[in-house]
Amino acid sequence: MTLPIRWKVIIATLLVLACGLLIARTLAIRSFEQQEIVRSEKILEVSASLITYGLQPFLMQPGSLSATPRLQAAVRDLGARALTRVTLIAPDGRVLADSAVPDNTLSAVENHLARTEIQQAVATGRGRDVRRSQTTGERTLYLALGLPTQNQTTPAVFLRLGLLMTTFDREVGKFHKDLALAFGIAFLIAVALSVGLAHSITKPLSDIAIAARQLAGGDHEVHIRTGSRDEVGLLADTLNHMTNQLKAKINELSEDRAQLLTVLTSMVEGVMVLDCKGRVLQVNPALEGMFDVTRLDARARLYSDIFRHPQLDTLVSTVLANRVNEEDEILLQPSGRCLHIEASVTHCDRENDACMVLVFHDITELRRLENIRKDFVANVSHELRAPLTSIKGYIEALRDGGKDDPTTSAKFLDIILKQSDRLNLILEDLLQLSRIESGQILFKREPLDIQRGIERTLAMIKPLADKKGHRLVTVIEDDLPAVLGDEDRLMQVFSNLLDNAVKYTPENGTITVAARPVSGDPERPSIMTTVELSVSDTGIGIPERDHPRIFERFYRVDKARSRELGGTGLGLAIVKHIVEGLGGQVWVEANVPTGTRFVVRLPI
Ligand code: ADP
């Protein structure tokens, strides 16, 4: 496991500090020892001068010095006075006297010529050494000086002073302890300082690390707070700035995405986005409805696996291959929906980029209206041409001699008049339809007494019905509520429906007009909101398959029969327009057991 920065800083600081303290301690102790030794050496030198002075009587004696009890006693005395060990050594290394050695063992003392300080004194006249004494076993500072005897220049005897280092060692030991205490305290302070320092350095860093982790986790509200104005502070500021920028960018992108989704979702047109391999990247709800697929099913799959339509396949592969915009129209089976497709290529660099956008416009209604318009134009032309051709033919026949025969001319003129009336009727019906459609005819909205309107219309139609021996029956419920409408238009509706019932019912049929209040809302059947009017007959009926188209202009079940009966094919279209203009509904159903039943519902 990697060590956190804090610990690295603490350990590094403490290591450096410990090394520094150790070096300082060693240097301090060494310097202290040296100072002490120099001082002791000076003391020894002073003592040596005094002792030399004390030994003068022996040194002034002629001949070389020899170990005598007197010398030994003098040396012991001088040693006791000077608080040092005094040794007199002959040039050959024999110990002549020693204040630290009992008199009787003096002769047994080892030869001292090999001692370091004596060797130095032999060489330079002065020698010094610090070591543990072989004789006393104590650590001792030795100073050896060569002393000349009378009339001799070379040393005849070596005076060696030995100062015990016990006090010195005690001082050094105390110094060690003091130093250790001081350095220990210093070290503890340093530990505290380095921990504090490491914390102050690493805290902002770990704050930054935590914030960066939160940022990576999707929390864009993080803000790093550091009081420091150093590099770490700068880093935190930069990260905060970056976070703000990122947040702004993400918000912008989210808004764009939300808007795009809203547009895609609310579009009536189906939209499909493909990548350059023909895989589906996006489809909108309209497209889901058109092809009965779900977005989840479609995503990341090849379009050809989902939309199995050869024409669509060809269009997509052409666009992907040629990289040019194309459009086409396809027919969906079995729904019969007609779709216009615009396929546009987009600029894409990577494999998963959007490469092509397909927009599907449902033009089924457009095509239907176009067909209606075409049919209408063809029908109008046909309907107008038939009487016109007839008029023209009879006029030509009159001109070619028919006018000379009064009976023929009267017959022809009758036919011409009849055809002109028919032309007039068609044109009037067409004009009326067009006025209703263009809103030129404004429907009045006044309360109407339905019963009275029905009775008036029946009175108008009765002569015709009587002619064919029809029975007119009315079934009108009492206290029928008034409906809101336009009396003249409503009478036209009745008259067209009754006229048809009379026309398309063979002699001696029964025509029933009924009116009753009904509920327009299946969830609240007790509340009457509409009045239902129906015209039923026992006539030839309308085949079920013609029901959906029966209200179209010029649509007739049997064209020849309709013409023969003087129909224009516009009556029911006018009925539908008026009823819907009054806010109602109209439909046709089969009458039981025979005939037809037209039902009109108008709001109360
Ligand atoms: P027309 O002037 O030809 O009667 P309409 O628009 O009134 O035109 O009627 C359209 C067609 O509907 C008629 O041609 C006829 O075939 C059929 N139709 C209308 N009413 C009836 C009915 N009561 N019984 C049978 N067929 C009818």
Side-chain angles (χ1 to χ4, degrees), residues 1-12 15 202:
M1 203 189 99
T2 44
L3 219 54
I5 294 181
R6 175 181 303 190
W7 285 109
K8 284 181 187 165
V9 172
I10 292 172
I11 291 170
L15 268 178
T202 56

Side-chain angles (χ1 to χ4, degrees), residues 496-497 500-501 503-504 537 540-542 550 555-558 562 566-573 596 598:
N496 282 8
L497 293 178
N500 279 349
K503 269 196 299 188
Y504 300 107
D537 60 50
I540 56 171
I542 301 172
I550 206 74
Y555 190 85
R556 282 171 287 197
V557 179
D558 182 343
S562 162
T568 58
L570 294 168
L572 287 181
T596 314
F598 282 94

Side-chain angles (χ1 to χ4, degrees), residues 293-354:
V293 288
T294 64
R295 193 181 306 200
L296 285 178
D297 281 347
R299 270 214 179 144
R301 285 175 62 192
L302 273 181
Y303 77 95
S304 49
D305 292 347
I306 308 156
F307 310 98
R308 296 180 187 278
H309 198 289
Q311 217 181 322
L312 180 61
D313 279 4
T314 317
L315 175 74
V316 173
S317 24
T318 314
V319 174
L320 283 177
N322 303 341
R323 316 249 344 119
V324 281
N325 298 351
E326 294 265 350
E327 49 187 276
D328 201 358
E329 232 175 85
I330 62 168
L331 194 67
L332 296 184
Q333 292 301 355
S335 64
R337 289 173 90 175
C338 186
L339 301 178
H340 177 260
I341 311 169
E342 281 176 57
S344 8
V345 283
T346 59
H347 176 76
C348 58
D349 297 325
R350 287 168 303 168
E351 205 178 88
N352 288 340
D353 278 356

